[in-house]
Amino acid sequence: MKLFNTAVSGVTANTPQAQRRRARPAPDVLHAAVRAEAAATTPRTQWALTGFAIALLGGFAAAGAIDTRSFQDANVWLKPAKFALSFVVLFATLALVVERLSQPVREGRTGRATIGAMTLAFWAEMAYIGMQAGRAEASHFNVGTPLAGLLYSLMGVGAVTLVAGIGVIGVLAWRDRDADLGPGLRRGVLLGFTLSMVATLITAGILSSHGGHFVGTPSAGAAVIPLLGWSAEVGDLRPAHFLALHAMQALPLLGLWLDHRGRGAATTLTVAAAVYAALTAAVFVQALMGLPLLRL
């Protein structure tokens, strides 16, 4: 009987059903593969968005070389090209931070929902700005018709979504004790990302309600700051907006440098964040007074 059972077992073990069971990965292996795939999704999304923004930048630059139409004394494709470049920097920065987060945080609902919302806002913003450039019409401050006003308001919703997402990622990085972040970089990300969120919401909100980025009326052919295009004659709200946006790069880079130097990061970064915020506020107030950043 024992011999018979052994023989039956051997035959059963060689059936197609048994072979499929042996070929099927163990549950633990499957779960590990799913977790690894999910963990890679968020940073991979950020790098994909960075690549897409680079492609848009190249496309708008090529369009500007072919299409010589101008709008408000600039090539119609200059604005979407600037926005594409800004998104390249934004998503590359986010990718570098997100890929350092621990697996549970990358897989968490908060992170995934935040990245998803930012992705949708990015697509919508660039589609509308590109469409308006092709029509040689303003995308920002365009409330000439009910439809234009509605679309401009929706752009504002998208902008708030993007900026709020920056702050959420900053807080997630700070609270993630298992993230691959040194103490300086961790604090720099928190301070830089949250400062970018708060300062951008303030500067962009006032800029939007002001109805334009000039405080005063520049004369025809007035001097501008080279490369940047900011007014050198009247107040221009864009320099403060620029500083607000790029706190998310400046302070994390300082924190990373402090980690490499092995110096205390907490006090230095707190002071640096306060100075950066004060500088942004001073540039903003200067513009509101009608004074240019530099008079040329």
Side-chain angles (χ1 to χ4, degrees):
M1 189 58 148
K2 183 176 181 181
L3 182 60
F4 174 77
N5 290 338
T6 302
V8 171
S9 299
V11 171
T12 305
N14 289 321
T15 62
Q17 292 84 354
Q19 291 174 359
R20 283 196 295 270
R21 282 196 298 270
R22 287 198 302 271
R24 188 180 303 157
D28 288 344
V29 175
L30 282 174
H31 293 161
V34 170
R35 286 195 300 269
E37 175 66 20
T41 300
T42 303
R44 192 166 61 201
T45 299
Q46 297 301 295
W47 286 121
L49 290 171
T50 303
F52 185 57
I54 292 173
L56 285 177
L57 175 60
F60 291 136
I66 298 170
D67 185 356
T68 58
R69 290 177 301 157
S70 63
F71 179 74
Q72 296 180 343
D73 299 323
N75 185 280
V76 293
W77 298 106
L78 180 60
K79 173 169 279 190
K82 286 182 175 179
F83 269 79
L85 177 59
S86 178
F87 278 118
V88 170
V89 177
L90 169 65
F91 288 123
T93 302
L94 290 175
L96 289 170
V97 172
V98 169
E99 67 185 8
R100 289 173 173 264
L101 301 182
S102 65
Q103 182 175 313
V105 174
R106 290 199 302 264
E107 293 179 11
R109 291 183 179 178
T110 301
R112 286 178 171 276
T114 300
I115 298 303
M118 294 179 75
T119 300
L120 290 175
F122 162 61
W123 286 342
E125 295 268 310
M126 289 309 304
Y128 181 62
I129 294 171
M131 180 187 73
Q132 292 298 90
R135 299 170 62 185
E137 295 182 6
S139 54
H140 290 70
F141 314 114
N142 185 350
V143 293
T145 66
L147 178 60
L150 174 62
L151 293 174
Y152 182 47
S153 297
L154 291 176
M155 279 189 67
V157 174
V160 170
T161 300
L162 287 161
V163 173
I166 294 170
V168 171
I169 298 300
V171 172
L172 287 177
W174 172 256
R175 297 180 61 184
D176 185 2
R177 295 295 97 187
D178 296 322
D180 183 20
L181 298 168
L185 182 56
R186 183 188 300 275
R187 184 173 291 270
V189 168
L190 173 69
L191 294 175
F193 280 37
T194 53
L195 179 57
S196 267
M197 178 185 69
V198 173
T200 300
L201 288 174
I202 293 172
T203 56
I206 294 177
L207 196 157
S208 177
S209 63
H210 183 69
H213 46 73
F214 291 130
V215 180
T217 304
S219 57
V224 298
I225 297 175
L227 298 178
L228 299 170
W230 300 334
S231 177
E233 183 185 26
V234 299
D236 196 325
L237 299 173
R238 289 175 295 180
H241 186 46
F242 177 88
L243 287 172
L245 283 171
H246 293 293
M248 68 178 296
Q249 285 88 33
L251 293 175
L253 284 174
L254 175 59
L256 186 63
W257 180 77
L258 290 171
D259 283 340
H260 282 296
R261 298 280 292 182
R263 295 182 178 179
T267 302
T268 302
L269 280 165
T270 301
V271 171
V275 170
Y276 196 101
L279 175 63
T280 304
V283 171
F284 195 51
V285 170
Q286 179 181 351
L288 290 173
M289 294 172 62
L291 302 174
L293 180 65
L294 295 173
R295 191 175 294 277
L296 300 177

